[in-house]
Amino acid sequence: IVIEPKEEKLTYDKEYVISLSDWSDEKPDDVYRKIKLSADYYNFQQRTVGDFFDEVKEMGFFEAFKQRKMWNNMAMTDRDLSDVTGYTYTYLMNGENPATNFKALFKNGEKVRLRFINSSAMTFFDVRIPGLKMTVVASDGNYVQPVTVDEFRIGVAETYDVIVEPEVNTAYSIFAQSLDRSGYALGALTYDKNIIANTPELDSLPILSHSDMGMDMNNMDHSGHDMSSMDGSMSKDKPMDHSKMGHDMSSMMKEESKPMDHSMMNSEMPMDMKGMDHSGH
């Protein structure tokens, strides 16, 4: 469903809806059962002993061991990207598989709007049109400040609208590779239905880091905590002096027997979340 504005602010000559999806010939109950038996049943890009030795050469044994231990404590790996992969999925573009190839035709000189929607069950796609810049003009049905990109990532149920200006007599591939690089959806943006561009190669597998999992302590904002006045108070033989931490603990203790006044919890309490730094989440 395309909801058009009362007044169109964008100028273009033609538009296409590009629906990305995933399909398996397996019965859904079978897929679910296999994932319940083993969460990485469909993941054939697991780490090997060779990968560990490569990390030892790069960062030393103890650092490499530390990294592996942290992942093991989470019962995860740095290649835990998708529960269901191209091992069972075929990735589709407007219902067409990469062999049948969906085609979006344009006439020379036309400006084309492509409305991308990720209608898959659980696949994230990285989308690009090699050799052609895309100007993102809308996201999830809302206009945005136009920004020109080479590639964008689209999650399940997200939409992005882009405008492209193909060169004269030039064919392009609309290439949407799955996040885990186990397959891709493919279409053609071309001036002639009989002429299609070469299919790009899949990119290398992304490797997760601890910062991807929200565990990068270096990016946490400690600016509001003055630790300088603690003066080594956390040493083993010296108890911590809470009086130097900038908190008056005595006033808190005085109120311990006083019931909380819930009348203050009304709509006038400040609940503005805009000023909070969510960049670490």
Side-chain angles (χ1 to χ4, degrees):
I1 299 175
V2 176
I3 301 175
E4 297 180 341
K6 289 182 178 180
E7 181 180 351
E8 181 58 77
K9 299 179 180 180
L10 305 172
T11 57
Y12 52 91
D13 303 298
K14 185 174 292 184
E15 70 175 59
Y16 290 97
V17 174
I18 307 295
S19 174
L20 305 173
S21 59
D22 42 29
W23 173 265
S24 174
D25 287 325
E26 289 189 88
K27 294 180 179 179
D29 287 343
D30 290 340
V31 174
Y32 182 69
R33 177 179 56 82
K34 291 173 180 177
I35 294 176
K36 292 292 287 183
L37 289 173
S38 176
D40 56 2
Y41 182 92
Y42 292 103
N43 187 351
F44 288 86
Q45 303 183 88
Q46 300 281 13
R47 292 179 52 81
T48 65
V49 174
D51 293 324
F52 178 72
F53 287 138
D54 289 340
E55 291 177 353
V56 169
K57 292 178 182 178
E58 178 182 346
M59 62 184 73
F61 177 82
F62 289 106
E63 182 61 28
F65 182 82
K66 176 183 175 183
Q67 295 286 333
R68 289 305 100 221
K69 182 179 179 181
M70 291 178 68
W71 283 106
N72 290 340
N73 287 341
M74 294 188 294
M76 295 180 63
T77 76
D78 53 10
R79 301 181 185 183
D80 188 8
L81 297 168
S82 299
D83 288 333
V84 184
T85 70
Y87 175 73
T88 186
Y89 272 155
T90 298
Y91 301 110
L92 308 177
M93 184 175 295
N94 286 6
E96 302 285 349
N97 64 48
T100 56
N101 211 292
F102 163 75
K103 296 178 180 65
L105 300 176
F106 66 88
K107 294 179 181 178
N108 287 329
E110 284 187 327
K111 187 183 291 187
V112 184
R113 180 175 185 170
L114 303 175
R115 301 176 181 265
F116 285 92
I117 178 169
N118 185 347
S119 50
S120 69
M122 59 191 308
T123 302
F124 279 62
F125 291 97
D126 290 333
V127 180
R128 70 177 188 266
I129 305 177
L132 188 61
K133 296 283 187 179
M134 299 179 288
T135 300
V136 179
V137 294
S139 173
D140 291 337
N142 297 300
Y143 287 126
V144 298
Q145 185 70 30
V147 57
T148 300
V149 300
D150 293 306
E151 183 179 57
F152 63 87
R153 177 166 296 170
I154 185 168
V156 175
E158 289 184 333
T159 72
Y160 286 106
D161 291 16
V162 306
I163 290 180
V164 296
E165 299 183 54
E167 296 289 335
V168 174
N169 293 340
T170 304
Y172 303 89
S173 289
I174 306 174
F175 190 66
Q177 57 185 337
S178 65
L179 176 61
D180 67 331
R181 307 298 186 253
S182 62
Y184 55 85
L186 180 67
L189 179 65
T190 180
Y191 64 97
D192 186 331
K193 65 179 182 179
N194 297 312
I195 299 177
I196 59 175
N198 294 327
T199 303
E201 295 289 333
L202 286 166
D203 289 339
S204 57
L205 179 71
I207 304 298
L208 294 175
S209 66
H210 292 295
S211 60
D212 293 321
M213 309 302 293
M215 296 182 63
D216 188 357
M217 302 295 287
N218 295 324
N219 292 330
M220 294 181 67
D221 182 9
H222 299 282
S223 58
H225 304 279
D226 182 8
M227 308 297 286
S228 60
S229 62
M230 293 179 67
D231 191 25
S233 60
M234 291 185 68
S235 63
K236 180 174 65 174
D237 301 322
K238 184 178 180 181
M240 178 182 284
D241 184 359
H242 291 280
S243 65
K244 296 182 180 181
M245 293 183 65
H247 302 288
D248 185 359
M249 305 296 287
S250 59
S251 62
M252 294 174 63
M253 297 301 291
K254 290 178 182 177
E255 298 293 326
E256 66 177 353
S257 59
K258 184 178 180 180
M260 183 176 184
D261 185 0
H262 291 280
S263 64
M264 297 297 293
M265 298 180 66
N266 54 32
S267 59
E268 296 179 0
M269 291 182 68
M271 297 293 288
D272 186 3
M273 306 289 285
K274 295 179 181 179
M276 296 180 67
D277 181 8
H278 300 279
S279 60
H281 302 280

